[in-house]
């Protein structure tokens, strides 16, 4: 059984933060109806190469970027910039549980698709807006993109090698981490609002901003600053609060060692043949190791030169010290743990035969299932949704298509 079998979501989002949110809801079994502009669709449909391969091994029309964030949805093409199209969308709203959009602040009001208008149609509607800077404040009207938010929100000030190191300077994270985290925050907010609606009977308006999420997700680094009033710096692959907790060179490669407590440090020292280090007052506790990192880390680095990465990883695994190789993605998907958890899967696709997907990373006990259905082709479900949801006949849909409304 699906987890959200009776929830209908209207998805008016594009690119990543919003689609990531609605993909999670689709995975959990909600009916997610993705509203797209006729003939164009989500911007990311065209953000290639690469494109998924068809049955003959040739690039198809679906960009990998789009395929990453639109699994399990239904695609309806509808031009709501026209009054007739907006009227159709309002009919869908009357039957929906959730609407999520990521247009600029105020953009949907001119079509009568803002929350104030739609809650009159459906008081139980949960309406979620995702923007760069939120619905209020001096930046509200600005467009917001992940890269810019990583800069404005401080993430790039703590990411990358230190300025005095080779290659030093600010760096963005290798994925659009603010978009993805914003999508997850939006999803949890929607689920909370749905739970609340069960007792209150009323919907909610949800305002989610990328910048707010970026500030919130700084977690311990942000709290370090608030507590100490000291600006954090870039540590590269090191950690500001824990030592040793970083990447090291071995005799034949690189490895990450993540010592989280004093017992693990003692085990590391024994493996390296240096048990006296863990008894040394300068290194016996994590606060001491943080204080003495400039002394301790070169000592560890020197000891690691006698080891291969694989032999060291096996030795540290055996004594419970967290560690791991720095894998590329080919190595990730070849990893026996990743394969055992079936993180890569292939799902049937209406025009390509099948497309690869990354499994939803949550598993549930019992008969609860996470749906794994392919991302839709543009307008794939237009006729079915208009027929099933609004009761339109085939000739009516043809007329709408002639007018360019769907």
């Amino acid at each position: 059984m699906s987890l959200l079998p009776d929830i209908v979501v209207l998805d008016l989002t594009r690119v990543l933060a919003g689609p990531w949110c609605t993909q999670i809801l689709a995975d959990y079994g909600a009916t997610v109806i993705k509203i797209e502009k006729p003939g164009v669709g989500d911007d990311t449909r065209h953000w290639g190469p690469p494109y998924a391969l068809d049955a003959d091994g040739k690039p198809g029309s679906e960009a990998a970027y789009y395929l990453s964030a639109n699994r399990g949805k239904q695609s309806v093409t509808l031009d709501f910039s026209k009054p007739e199209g907006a009227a159709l969308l309002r009919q869908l709203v009357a039957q929906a549980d959730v609407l999520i959009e990521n247009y600029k602040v105020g953009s949907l009001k001119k079509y009568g698709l803002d929350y104030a208008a739609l809650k009159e149609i459906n008081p139980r509607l949960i309406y979620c807006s995702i923007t760069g800077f939120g619905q209020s404040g001096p930046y509200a009207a600005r467009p917001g993109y992940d890269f810019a938010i990583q800069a404005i929100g401080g993430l790039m000030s703590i990411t990358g090698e230190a300025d005095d190191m080779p290659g030093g300077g600010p760096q963005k994270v290798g994925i659009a981490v603010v978009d993805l985290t914003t999508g997850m925050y939006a999803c949890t907010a929607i689920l909370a609002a749905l739970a609340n609606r069960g007792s209150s009977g009323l919907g909610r308006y949800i305002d989610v901003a990328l910048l707010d999420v970026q500030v919130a997700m700084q977690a311990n680094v942000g709290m370090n600053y608030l507590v100490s009033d000291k600006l954090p710096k870039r540590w590269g692959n090191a950690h500001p609060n824990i030592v040793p907790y970083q990447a090291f060179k071995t005799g034949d490669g690189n490895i990450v060692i993540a010592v989280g407590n004093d017992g693990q440090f003692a085990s590391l020292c024994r493996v390296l043949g240096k048990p006296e280090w863990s008894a040394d007052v300068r290194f016996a506790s994590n606060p001491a190791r943080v204080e003495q990192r400039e002394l301790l880390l070169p000592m560890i680095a020197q000891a690691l030169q006698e080891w291969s990465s694989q032999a060291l990883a096996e030795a540290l695994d055996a004594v419970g010290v967290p560690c791991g190789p720095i894998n590329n993605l080919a190595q990730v998907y070849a990893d026996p743990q990743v394969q055992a958890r079936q993180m890569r899967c292939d799902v049937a696709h209406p025009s390509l035969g099948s497309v690869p997907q990354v499994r939803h990373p949550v598993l549930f006990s019992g008969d609860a299932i996470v749906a794994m259905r392919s991302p839709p082709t543009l307008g794939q479900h237009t006729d079915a949704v208009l027929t099933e949801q609004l009761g339109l006949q085939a000739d009516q849909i043809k007329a709408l298509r002639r007018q360019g409304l769907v």
Side-chain angles (χ1 to χ4, degrees), residues 102-124:
N102 62 351
Y103 285 80
K104 292 180 182 179
V105 172
S107 295
L108 294 180
K109 185 175 183 178
K110 59 187 174 184
Y111 307 123
L113 299 173
D114 56 307
Y115 177 63
L118 296 185
K119 74 175 180 179
E120 297 300 319
I121 298 171
N122 182 355
R124 291 173 56 82

Side-chain angles (χ1 to χ4, degrees), residues 50 64 68 174-175 325-336 338-339 343-344 358:
S68 74
I175 57 172
I326 300 174
N327 287 335
N328 60 36
L329 290 189
Q331 293 167 324
V332 168
Y333 286 104
D335 187 283
V338 174
Q339 292 186 349
M343 288 304 299
R344 183 247 164 88
V358 181

Side-chain angles (χ1 to χ4, degrees), residues 67 123 273:
L67 294 174

Side-chain angles (χ1 to χ4, degrees), residues 358-389:
V358 181
R359 177 180 66 76
H360 185 90
V362 178
L363 299 174
F364 294 88
S365 66
D367 60 355
I369 62 170
V370 173
M372 293 295 293
R373 301 183 302 273
S374 71
T377 57
L378 181 60
Q380 179 182 343
H381 303 92
T382 300
D383 289 18
V385 169
L386 294 180
T387 299
E388 295 167 10
Q389 299 286 333

